[in-house]
């Protein structure tokens, strides 16, 4: 905590402390919001995943800051008030950044370093005895801000800005710095210098893009040629081969953050706890996708050559349903995962397979799903007088509203619904030096069969 002499030095008063905390809160809430708003239409897989995590971290610190402000004689909290026009423009500009490289530069090389510096300065200036609860919160925030900044630095040092050059340039960076200077720095503790500049990228109205995009590792995103569940629930097939199908199912969960981000972006006027909990769930679903990716890597399989991961679910829901209806579908699908053909079954398959990684991943996947069921009860079923039957009927009705004409997709030349399973299983056997089991290799279903089953078994989760 510090020496007695240092504790005897006065520091920031309650009002000054709260003013600064509200600015950190604003910066983190804008960070959370803009990362979610950008991840669906961002094609690059690693960016979708990183932004899912960073949105979650930002949301957690937003929650801590809200709680701390509420402790400091501050009802009404005034947390929705924009603390300074300069800060508003700073984040409006980053949110409207035309390329991912601009966004990463603006957020991770300008805004978040300013937030980090403000938190560190606050920690140095406040009285560590009188304001100990704030110090604790700031220490945790610094830990995770450093992780975010490290990621941003690595992203900017990677091939990304070379492949997709930023358009902002030095002038745009200067504009962002002017925003901060006019606001007296992120904390407002510095002397305000200069005027808030005019907008650049954010000059026009901002338009949210909720249509999912994927990068080159997803070459056939309309493919519905493999009915994963039909394979998984067929007791004639061996558990070891089923782990491959489970890794595919996990990786396919990339569509859940793509869809949930649109709920969080478009659904206004909910209590903060709703956004916090759903953002945690969004990050869990991104983790599930990465578990699939890691599973394939562990098998020595380059998944992007063998597995066709579709985006038809997130695309259909985002384009055809309201945010409330999307939330209903999500809950409807997830509550279906709690029965004995759901998460427990997948864990049992992992256990029986001898693939300890599959067992471990399914163990945590199941645990996460129990949490998601709780989140669904808190934020969805509650709106149906806590009646899960009525909630499920509504979710089912919303789900059946989504039109997906797979035959039309084929006629339009978007996909051939190719059966990629034999290629994946063949590669798995080749890597292991094993002879393929003819029955497993021959597994094939039509997309009509998949479609007929979709209401019974979830596409995602
Ligand atoms: Fe889930
Ligand atoms: Fe999941």
């Amino acid at each position: 905590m510090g020496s007695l002499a240092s504790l005897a030095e006065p520091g920031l008063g309650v009002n000054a402390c709260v003013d600064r905390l509200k600015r950190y809160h604003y910066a983190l809430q804008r960070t959370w919001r803009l990362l979610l708003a950008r991840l669906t239409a961002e094609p690059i897989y690693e960016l979708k995943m990183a932004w899912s995590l960073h949105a979650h971290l930002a949301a957690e610190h937003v929650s801590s800051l809200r709680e701390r402000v509420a402790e400091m004689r501050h009802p009404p909290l005034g947390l929705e008030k924009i603390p300074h026009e300069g800060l508003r423009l700073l984040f409006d500009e980053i949110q409207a950044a035309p390329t991912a490289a601009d966004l990463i530069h603006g957020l991770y090389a300008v805004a978040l370093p300013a937030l980090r510096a403000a938190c560190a300065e606050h920690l140095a200036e406040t009285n560590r005895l009188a304001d100990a609860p704030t110090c604790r919160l700031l220490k945790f925030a610094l830990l995770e801000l450093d992780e975010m900044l490290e990621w941003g630095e690595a992203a900017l040092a990677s091939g990304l800005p070379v492949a997709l050059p930023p358009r902002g340039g030095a002038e745009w960076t200067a504009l962002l710095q002017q925003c901060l200077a006019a606001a007296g720095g992120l904390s407002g503790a510095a002397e305000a210098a200069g005027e808030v500049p005019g907008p650049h990228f954010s000059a026009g109205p901002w338009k949210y893009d909720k249509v999912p995009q994927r990068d080159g590792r997803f070459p056939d995103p309309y493919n519905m040629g493999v009915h994963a569940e039909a394979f998984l629930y067929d007791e004639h097939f061996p558990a070891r081969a089923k782990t491959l199908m489970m890794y595919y199912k996990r990786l396919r969960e990339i569509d859940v953050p793509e869809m949930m981000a649109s709920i969080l972006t478009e659904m206004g006027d909910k209590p903060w706890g709703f956004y916090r909990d759903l953002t945690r769930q969004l990050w869990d679903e991104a983790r599930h996708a990465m578990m699939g990716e890691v599973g394939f890597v562990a098998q020595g399989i380059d998944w992007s050559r063998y597995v066709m991961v579709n985006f038809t679910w997130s695309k259909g829901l985002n384009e055809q349903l309201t945010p409330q209806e999307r939330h209903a579908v999500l809950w409807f699908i997830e509550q279906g995962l709690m029965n004995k053909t759901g998460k427990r079954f997948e864990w049992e398959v992992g256990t029986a397979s001898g693939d300890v990684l599959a067992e471990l991943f399914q163990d945590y996947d199941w645990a996460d799903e129990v949490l998601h069921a709780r989140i669904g009860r808190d934020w969805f079923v509650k709106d149906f007088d806590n009646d899960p039957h009525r909630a499920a009927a509504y979710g089912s009705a919303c789900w059946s509203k989504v039109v997906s004409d797979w035959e039309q997709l084929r006629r339009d030349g978007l996909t051939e619904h190719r059966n990629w399973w034999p290629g994946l299983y063949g590669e798995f056997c080749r890597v292991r030096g094993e002879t393929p089991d003819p029955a497993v290799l021959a597994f094939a279903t039509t997309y009509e069969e998949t479609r007929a089953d979709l209401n019974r078994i979830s596409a995602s989760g």
Side-chain angles (χ1 to χ4, degrees), residues 148-168:
M148 291 165 77
L149 290 173
E150 207 177 295
W151 177 87
E153 215 172 286
L156 290 169
S158 75
L160 175 78
V162 182
L164 301 163
R167 299 201 204 128

Side-chain angles (χ1 to χ4, degrees), residues 253 281 285 288 334 337 368-369 372 461:
E253 294 192 53
Q281 180 175 345
E285 307 298 4
H288 298 165
E334 289 205 305
L337 301 174
D368 291 339
E369 223 46 66
H372 301 171

Side-chain angles (χ1 to χ4, degrees), residues 301-420:
I301 295 172
D302 175 358
W303 58 269
S304 66
R305 292 182 58 198
Y306 299 98
V307 182
M308 299 304 130
V309 185
N310 61 293
F311 65 10
T312 41
W313 186 76
S314 51
K315 189 171 158 66
L317 264 65
N318 285 9
E319 288 181 342
Q320 297 176 38
L321 299 183
T322 66
Q324 288 77 11
E325 291 170 333
R326 282 173 228 147
H327 192 201
V329 171
L330 179 71
W331 179 80
F332 173 65
I333 288 174
E334 289 205 305
Q335 54 93 34
L337 301 174
M338 287 296 105
N339 60 33
K340 66 179 189 304
T341 55
K343 290 297 162 190
R344 173 192 283 276
F345 174 80
E346 290 187 339
W347 172 73
E348 286 168 354
V349 170
T351 306
S353 72
D355 176 349
V356 289
L357 189 64
E359 178 183 352
L360 180 90
F361 282 170
Q362 292 309 141
D363 204 5
Y364 281 89
D365 184 64
W366 181 13
D368 291 339
E369 223 46 66
V370 174
L371 171 67
H372 301 171
R374 194 275 290 161
I375 291 173
R377 281 195 300 276
D378 286 355
W379 297 112
F380 178 71
V381 183
K382 204 174 59 180
D383 294 343
F384 294 82
D385 299 325
N386 292 313
D387 178 352
H389 300 290
R390 270 179 56 216
Y394 179 68
S396 172
C398 294
W399 182 214
S400 49
K401 264 173 71 173
V402 182
V403 180
S404 44
D405 185 342
W406 296 346
E407 179 52 28
Q408 188 62 42
L409 297 175
R410 200 185 59 75
R411 278 199 300 269
D412 290 346
L414 291 168
T415 181
E416 291 173 354
H417 296 303
R418 183 172 67 79
N419 176 14
W420 45 261

Side-chain angles (χ1 to χ4, degrees), residues 268-279:
D269 64 31
K270 288 277 184 187
W272 171 250
F274 169 89
Y275 299 103
R276 179 198 195 171
D277 283 358
L278 265 75
T279 306

